[in-house]
Amino acid sequence: MTSPRDALLGPAAVAPLPVCDHYCGIQSRMVKSLALQTELAQELGTCAFDVTLDCEDGAPVGGAQDHAQMVAELATNAWAASQKQPPQSRPRIAARVHPVDHPAFAQDVTTIIGRAAQALCHVMIPKVDTVADIEHALTHIDQALKTNGRTTPLPIHVLIESPLAVHHVATIAAHPRVESLSFGLMDYVSAHGGAIPASAMGTSELSRPEDLDQFSHPLVLRAKLAITAACHAFGKTASHCVVTEFKNIAKLEAAARYASRALGFGRMWSIHPDQIRPILAAFAPAANEVDQASRIVCAAHAADWAPISIEGHLHDRASYRYFWQVLVRAHQTARLPAHDPAQVFFSA
């Protein structure tokens, strides 16, 4: 059976990233997050979120070397313990290192990638302003990969956190080693020297014009749209910033849903375990969308991808691609029912 992915997107199509990227910087929280990742993978049958072990904000002052060694050990141990699991359930573990101009950057890369490259799904580079920053980072990263013996390239995720980075966002997204771009909201607001109010770091429930939040301030909204547009242009994944009001699940769900449906983001950061399931739910297609996509893709497959009519609407390869991607997102977020006939496309 020809997979819809091969028939509609081509065999070189890249599998989408999990819709949630969970950040943790303290050892006890890292251990709990990795355990939760395994637990949820067993429940859902797939690794539903990434765990990014944070060296930038997580490392104590003066303790960067010890922190990097701890991150490398945790990643290596989790990876080794998962080798008997099905590939789709194995943990996805990443590391955020210091910015390229920080004294600890080279040390982070040498320690973490040099020791744990096989365990990493990607490395996050913060405060990237230009392609030159990426090339500088890759010089160290690829040397560490050689030391480790990993022969496959390590994908790079970058944080867009400044007006200069937004200015160069298309060239950054076009870099072949870049897999995803994330928006660093608070650093971006701070980089404007007070020109953007503090309210833009949060999500407001007020309606006064001066209470501009991260979804209504023009400069912040422009940055988000520039990131998603660049990512879609070059086949990369745009990752939405955090919602700091982590106790307010309703606010988180609304923000995640808007980021996905209105702004075009493909995934979102979590900074607390309670945010993971709401993000998965918000980025998942609705049940009626999944049902519609299943009927259309199954009928298209039966017609060998020729045009078909369903409920008076003509569908061809253009719409097949859309509905196939709905099914992929449903499967990825465990929203495709076990009895659904489209499950056959994901059984191989």
Side-chain angles (χ1 to χ4, degrees):
M1 179 183 69
T2 302
S3 165
R5 174 181 168 182
D6 292 342
L8 301 174
L9 302 178
V14 178
L17 299 175
V19 300
C20 181
D21 190 4
H22 180 64
Y23 274 71
C24 43
I26 299 173
Q27 183 174 9
S28 61
R29 294 177 184 170
M30 293 179 183
V31 172
K32 290 179 180 178
S33 297
L34 291 168
L36 178 60
Q37 186 183 54
T38 299
E39 177 186 326
L40 206 57
Q42 292 173 348
E43 175 188 336
L44 302 179
T46 186
C47 183
F49 66 96
D50 290 355
V51 171
T52 298
L53 309 178
D54 190 5
C55 292
E56 185 190 18
D57 293 337
V61 176
Q65 176 65 29
D66 290 341
H67 193 83
Q69 289 176 349
M70 178 266 292
V71 164
E73 183 177 359
L74 284 177
T76 300
N77 291 345
W79 179 76
S82 72
Q83 292 310 293
K84 293 183 179 180
Q85 298 175 14
Q88 68 271 18
S89 299
R90 291 174 188 166
R92 285 180 49 89
I93 307 167
R96 174 164 70 162
V97 297
H98 283 86
V100 295
D101 60 354
H102 192 281
F105 168 76
Q107 176 181 272
D108 283 350
V109 169
T110 299
T111 301
I112 298 170
I113 298 176
R115 290 182 54 188
Q118 301 293 345
L120 299 176
C121 57
H122 66 267
V123 60
M124 166 61 77
I125 311 296
K127 295 179 174 58
V128 169
D129 284 333
T130 67
V131 170
D133 293 333
I134 297 173
E135 294 295 345
H136 177 78
L138 286 173
T139 299
H140 293 271
I141 290 169
D142 287 345
Q143 180 58 49
L145 289 175
K146 290 180 182 178
T147 301
N148 176 271
R150 173 169 168 163
T151 56
T152 56
L154 183 63
I156 304 301
H157 292 202
V158 302
L159 257 171
I160 303 298
E161 303 182 77
S162 71
L164 182 59
V166 172
H167 179 73
H168 290 293
V169 70
T171 56
I172 293 171
H175 195 286
R177 287 286 288 279
V178 171
E179 185 178 56
S180 175
L181 272 60
S182 293
F183 180 48
L185 171 65
M186 287 176 281
D187 279 287
Y188 178 78
V189 171
S190 299
H192 284 77
I196 300 177
S199 61
M201 295 186 187
T203 52
S204 174
E205 295 174 339
L206 302 178
S207 58
R208 296 180 301 173
E210 61 267 29
D211 290 318
L212 294 170
D213 71 358
Q214 65 161 300
F215 291 103
S216 59
H217 193 285
L219 283 173
V220 177
L221 189 57
R222 172 183 173 271
K224 290 184 180 185
L225 291 173
I227 290 169
T228 56
C231 284
H232 287 292
F234 294 101
K236 310 301 171 69
T237 300
S239 188
H240 193 265
C241 56
V242 300
V243 170
T244 57
E245 303 94 332
F246 61 87
K247 294 291 187 181
N248 192 328
I249 298 302
K251 186 176 286 189
L252 170 71
E253 289 177 338
R257 194 172 298 109
Y258 190 79
S260 172
R261 301 250 169 174
L263 302 183
F265 283 90
R267 72 187 207 149
M268 184 171 177
W269 284 31
S270 159
I271 54 172
H272 190 279
D274 289 347
Q275 294 185 324
I276 294 171
R277 287 184 186 270
I279 289 173
L280 295 180
F283 275 77
N288 63 314
E289 294 175 315
V290 177
D291 178 68
Q292 179 189 34
S294 176
R295 286 187 288 110
I296 290 172
V297 172
C298 289
H301 180 263
D304 199 23
W305 312 112
I308 60 173
S309 175
I310 292 184
E311 298 177 355
H313 292 272
L314 177 67
H315 293 281
D316 59 15
R317 283 178 175 265
S319 58
Y320 299 159
R321 283 192 292 272
Y322 172 84
F323 289 110
W324 168 243
Q325 291 169 104
V326 171
L327 289 180
V328 170
R329 177 64 61 87
H331 181 261
Q332 183 185 31
T333 54
R335 293 303 192 274
L336 185 63
H339 62 272
D340 193 292
Q343 281 285 2
V344 67
F345 301 130
F346 300 96
S347 60

